Every structure is written in structure tokens, then in C-alpha cells.
């Protein structure tokens, strides 16, 4: 069994191709999960619509609670960390994280950043150990392989890794850094580009991205068949 955690972060609620003014990144993530489930219908999928229901932003109360030792937290502190803890639990319980996310102003949408802020947690997903000198951070999500798929959409073009405008896209690099920091290094990416141009350029990009998603599902399915992800006890 491979447990999927499916996140969407677009501010647009619908899916392109189904709903008026729908989201391309939601269409890609939906395509990925549907294709996966067509082959492995018993794999559980947990869904979080971050765009519709963003996690609370980090604030003073959250920081105070997070940096108070667990056994000294009062009821309010536990309550303030409850949502963050739930998001961490979901991530720990997953084997395959599917993220649909648009590029907004050169980076990730705020709801997805709020999710990242919620899941990078001292003592839960990473340990800070000053006795280790210059390398004090120990990732905790290394108990088993987890894979991440980032399915994005951009108004511009040339922003895939290695592209001429890649320096204007901090979405996938930021996710790679943050998830790598907690022990998840296998990140695969597909994106629609040219959304703001429309017309044939966009149509060609959508077709290529759909084909890329299908190929990625097939690759990950065959990897899963040859080296199944061990399920934690
Ligand atoms: C607030 C905002 C900021 C955006 N910033 C960028 C950007 O920095 N670079 C880019 O290529 N496109 C940018 N776009 C275009 C979106 O990436 C594009 O519309 C994409 O298709 C949105 O994803 P969605 O279709 O899943 O909603 C921006 C759009 C919005 C609404």
C-alpha cells in the first residue's frame, strides 16, 4: 500500500477543462491522482485543499508554543500547535506527496508557504543538535523513502530547472530545500507554462505537461512495483 497525500494550493477553486476559469495546477494534480488510482485503487488518498483552507500563519503564539518544551506547554500552546501537528502527522503517514501549486510572484503561494511553515518542526520532522557543530540539523523523515511530485502552472515560460528564466522561479527549488531539510529528497516536477500567453503556446504546453504527468505516474508505478515502499508499523 502506498499512501498519497494530495495538496492543492491554487487560489482558483475549479479545475481547468472542467470549471470556468479553473486552475491548471489543480487539473494536473487531479490527473496524476486519478491515473494513479486507476492502477492502484486501494491506495488511500488524503486530500487537503490549502488554497481553499490555508493553514494559519506562524505568529507569536505559535513560536512561543513551538519553542517551549513539550512537557511545559500549557493547554493554549497545545491548542495553537494542533493544526500544525495534524499536518505533520499527515505528512509522516504519507509515502507519496502530490502538490498542485501555481507560481505566484516568483515563488510558492502563501497557503503552501503556511503549510511548509507548519511541517518543518523541531523535534517532529527535524532535530536541532548543537553538539554536531556546523551541521546541527538532523532530518527525521528518513525512516522510509518518501516521494514528492510538484505539479505547477506558470504564466510565463522558460522557468523549468535549467531554463533561461529558471532564476525567476523559486517554487520548486524552495520546496526541494524545505523537504530535503526534513529528509525528503526525491522530488519530481512537471509544469504548464505560457498560461498568460494562451492560444497555441499554452495548448502545446498543457499537452506536454499532461504527457509528462502520465509518464511520471507510469515511472513511479513501476518503481513502486519493483521496490514497494515499506509501510511504517
Ligand atoms: C498573484 C499572481 C502572481 C503571479 N506571479 C507569476 C509569476 O511570478 N510568474 C509567472 O510566470 N506567472 C505568474 N502568475 C501566473 C500564474 O502562475 C498562472 O496564472 C498559473 O496558471 C496559476 O496557476 P493555476 O492555473 O493553478 O491557478 C501569477 C498569477 C497570480 C494570480
Amino acid at each position: 500500500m502506498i499512501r498519497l497525500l494530495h495538496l492543492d494550493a491554487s487560489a482558483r477553486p475549479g479545475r481547468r477543462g472542467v470549471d470556468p476559469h479553473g486552475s491548471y495546477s489543480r487539473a494536473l494534480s487531479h490527473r496524476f491522482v486519478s491515473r494513479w488510482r486507476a492502477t492502484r485503487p486501494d491506495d488511500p488518498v488524503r486530500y487537503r485543499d490549502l488554497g481553499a483552507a490555508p493553514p494559519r500563519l506562524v505568529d507569536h503564539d505559535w513560536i512561543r508554543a513551538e519553542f517551549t518544551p513539550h512537557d511545559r506547554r500549557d493547554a493554549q500552546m497545545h491548542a495553537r500547535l494542533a493544526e500544525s501537528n495534524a499536518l505533520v502527522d499527515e505528512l509522516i503517514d504519507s509515502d507519496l506527496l502530490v502538490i498542485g501549486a501555481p507560481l505566484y510572484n516568483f515563488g510558492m503561494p502563501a497557503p503552501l508557504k503556511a503549510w511548509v511553515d507548519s511541517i518543518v518542526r523541531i523535534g517532529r520532522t527535524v532535530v536541532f543538535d548543537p553538539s554536531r557543530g556546523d551541521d546541527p540539523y538532523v532530518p527525521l523523515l528518513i525512516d522510509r523513502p518518501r516521494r514528492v511530485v510538484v505539479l505547477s502552472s506558470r504564466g510565463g515560460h522558460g522557468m523549468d530547472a535549467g531554463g533561461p528564466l529558471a532564476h525567476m522561479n523559486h517554487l520548486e527549488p524552495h520546496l526541494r530545500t524545505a523537504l530535503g531539510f526534513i529528509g525528503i529528497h526525491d522530488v519530481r516536477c512537471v509544469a504548464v507554462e505560457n498560461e498568460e500567453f494562451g492560444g497555441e503556446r499554452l495548448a502545446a504546453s498543457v499537452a506536454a505537461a499532461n504527457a509528462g504527468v502520465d509518464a511520471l505516474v507510469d515511472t513511479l508505478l513501476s518503481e513502486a512495483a519493483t521496490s514497494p515502499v515499506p509501510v511504517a508499523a
Side-chain angles (χ1 to χ4, degrees):
M1 185 174 67
I2 293 178
R3 293 158 299 177
L4 279 71
L5 175 57
H6 176 187
L7 308 177
D8 274 320
S10 175
R12 302 204 269 191
R15 288 201 312 275
R16 182 58 55 149
V18 178
D19 305 293
H21 308 292
S23 148
Y24 287 92
S25 60
R26 285 180 188 271
L28 290 182
S29 69
H30 181 267
R31 186 182 184 95
F32 183 100
V33 173
S34 301
R35 191 175 174 90
W36 185 277
R37 296 266 291 175
T39 302
R40 297 179 57 106
D42 295 333
D43 283 351
V45 180
R46 193 192 299 263
Y47 182 65
R48 275 236 176 221
D49 190 340
L50 300 174
R56 274 182 72 184
L57 298 181
V58 163
D59 59 13
H60 185 210
D61 287 344
W62 188 94
I63 294 169
R64 239 168 16 113
E66 163 70 341
F67 293 98
T68 298
H70 188 272
D71 55 354
R72 295 197 359 231
R73 286 176 192 155
D74 61 25
Q76 265 183 329
M77 289 174 169
H78 286 296
R80 183 62 189 90
L81 292 176
E83 179 188 52
S84 170
N85 281 330
L87 296 174
V88 169
D89 291 341
E90 289 173 7
L91 179 60
I92 289 173
D93 282 347
S94 70
D95 306 298
L96 176 57
L97 175 58
V98 181
I99 304 176
L103 181 64
Y104 284 169
N105 294 312
F106 321 107
M108 68 181 75
L112 184 56
K113 179 59 164 54
W115 179 84
V116 169
D117 288 342
S118 296
I119 57 93
V120 178
R121 288 280 306 279
I122 298 293
R124 296 229 51 206
T125 55
V126 65
V127 163
F128 177 71
D129 177 3
S131 72
R132 289 167 53 94
D134 289 340
D135 183 20
Y137 296 103
V138 183
L140 292 180
L141 298 201
I142 51 171
D143 51 320
R144 64 179 188 277
R146 290 181 180 78
R147 294 176 173 85
V148 181
V149 171
V150 180
L151 303 170
S152 186
S153 179
R154 310 164 193 144
H157 61 96
M159 286 179 250
D160 284 326
L165 297 179
H167 61 281
M168 298 182 76
N169 174 14
H170 299 277
L171 169 57
E172 290 91 342
H174 191 160
L175 286 171
R176 279 185 196 282
T177 301
L179 294 168
F181 186 67
I182 60 174
I184 307 174
H185 297 282
D186 189 337
V187 181
R188 329 253 179 134
C189 306
V190 175
V192 166
E193 294 201 305
N194 293 305
E195 191 268 346
E196 279 165 9
F197 290 85
E200 286 180 16
R201 287 173 69 155
L202 173 59
S205 181
V206 169
N210 284 340
V213 166
D214 293 352
L216 184 53
V217 172
D218 294 347
T219 299
L220 290 170
L221 283 170
S222 81
E223 287 177 17
T226 52
S227 60
V229 177
V231 173

